[in-house]
Amino acid sequence: MQQLLKNIHSDHFAIMGILNVTPDSFSDGGKFDRVEAALKHALDMQAEGADIVDVGGESTRPGAEPVSEEQEIQRVVPVIEAIQENSDVLISVDTSKPAVMRAAIQAGASMVNDVNALQADGAVECCADLGVPVCLMHMKGEPRTMQQNPEYEDVTGEVSGFLQERARVCVEAGIPNENIVIDPGFGFGKNLDQNVTLFKQLNAICKLNFPVLVGISRKSMLGQILDRPVDERLVGSVAAAVMAYNKGARLFRVHDVAATHDALKVCEAVDGAV
Ligand code: 7PJ
């Protein structure tokens, strides 16, 4: 994982394929709930060009109820073990709970992806101790209520300030700079206007000197722009990935790996041309 992060500066990108193992996930609807189906989906995504598979056992969709630590571990650990036994794809765990981080890394994950930017008690110390890369994401509020009228004076300034501060806290706790990835958190406590403004100004986040990961795939901001249901947002999602690449993002958390991979290969080839 560390090597991958070293390689994604300049024009190179990496794709993180989404593997939800929740019964109420954003768009997989629990289809990949069982370990075997999850493993197959992970292998399919790797074949389509995913560098990382992001395994998540807690739904963070707006309005979702929290799950217990034990429940989350029971959901993600068997899936991570199965992937790690059957494939060399890198695995990240999408969680905010230190106990889940620890169990997941022990099972074979090599990165922590936290929508809560390691703000839970003990999370920063846990990741410093585990020695793995972390993705710090901005969210305003908490998933259950975050879409109820979020307000900002300057959305990009606030997101950027927050990410810099979280990165500082991580470095101070012993997580080296090169193990830090940042993410503006599209759709997490942001309305359509705020998401679009933040996207337009994504360069500002990319100037912070950490690799930037974006998660826009199939999100409701695209649904609002396109007026399309979640299963008809492929083209919009790929367009958004291309735009984010052009603004400096290099890590892409997506459902549709093959299509995104093709689009970004074109970006990379053009960007890398003399
Ligand atoms: C994100 C995430 C994101 C990171 C989710 C969904 C909602 N992790 N986990 N960034 N979104 N780092 O996939 O639609 O945007 S869950």
Side-chain angles (χ1 to χ4, degrees):
M1 184 68 81
Q2 269 95 347
Q3 195 53 46
L4 176 87
L5 294 179
K6 267 192 203 128
N7 287 342
I8 60 168
H9 62 83
S10 70
D11 47 305
H12 202 66
F13 69 89
I15 290 185
M16 175 186 269
I18 301 170
L19 186 60
N20 286 318
V21 288
T22 62
D24 64 339
S25 305
F26 261 61
S27 55
D28 290 331
K31 207 164 42 177
F32 299 106
D33 207 17
R34 290 164 301 120
V35 173
E36 253 156 69
L39 172 62
K40 180 179 182 308
H41 191 48
L43 297 176
D44 287 348
M45 290 195 291
Q46 182 184 24
E48 291 177 4
D51 304 280
I52 307 169
V53 170
D54 190 42
V55 181
E58 178 186 40
S59 176
T60 42
R61 72 184 293 157
E65 295 294 334
V67 296
S68 77
E69 199 171 278
E70 299 89 286
Q71 203 175 1
E72 211 181 316
I73 290 175
Q74 277 166 17
R75 284 179 188 171
V76 300
V77 164
V79 171
I80 292 170
E81 283 172 350
I83 299 170
Q84 121 93 26
E85 280 163 23
N86 291 283
S87 151
D88 60 355
V89 73
L90 297 168
I91 304 164
S92 59
V93 60
D94 189 344
T95 188
S96 298
K97 299 185 184 75
V100 181
M101 295 170 187
R102 218 171 261 290
I105 300 300
Q106 202 177 352
S110 58
M111 179 177 191
V112 169
N113 172 30
D114 184 4
V115 298
N116 197 33
L118 305 183
Q119 291 177 102
D121 275 352
V124 171
E125 296 74 14
C126 174
C127 290
D129 182 46
L130 292 168
V132 294
V134 297
C135 177
L136 307 171
M137 196 199 79
H138 175 271
M139 164 164 59
K140 192 171 181 108
E142 47 146 328
R144 215 166 40 79
T145 52
M146 67 190 176
Q147 292 309 102
Q148 297 167 6
N149 205 19
E151 281 181 38
Y152 297 85
E153 266 184 33
D154 165 12
V155 62
T156 308
E158 193 170 321
V159 168
S160 156
F162 171 85
L163 293 173
Q164 276 180 287
E165 171 58 16
R166 293 308 300 159
R168 191 193 61 74
V169 168
C170 287
V171 171
E172 204 169 81
I175 300 176
N177 267 293
E178 61 269 23
N179 273 1
I180 296 175
V181 170
I182 57 174
D183 179 340
F186 288 112
F188 284 85
K190 293 150 191 111
N191 64 27
L192 178 61
D193 281 354
Q194 293 157 352
N195 279 312
V196 171
T197 300
L198 182 59
F199 197 161
K200 185 168 184 184
Q201 299 171 356
L202 187 61
N203 309 57
I205 310 292
C206 298
K207 277 195 200 129
L208 297 177
N209 265 326
F210 296 101
V212 171
L213 184 150
V214 290
I216 318 166
S217 183
R218 301 186 187 173
K219 279 192 177 167
S220 72
M221 64 183 283
L222 301 175
Q224 288 170 284
I225 292 170
L226 300 169
D227 192 20
R228 287 192 187 281
V230 72
D231 59 343
E232 293 174 16
R233 297 178 191 165
L234 168 65
V235 178
S237 297
V238 172
V242 167
M243 287 186 73
Y245 178 97
N246 281 330
K247 291 173 184 292
R250 288 295 178 268
L251 278 152
F252 300 83
R253 185 180 177 279
V254 304
H255 302 86
D256 304 291
V257 174
T260 312
H261 190 262
D262 269 10
L264 294 174
K265 285 298 272 187
V266 175
C267 294
E268 190 182 65
V270 173
D271 232 42
V274 285

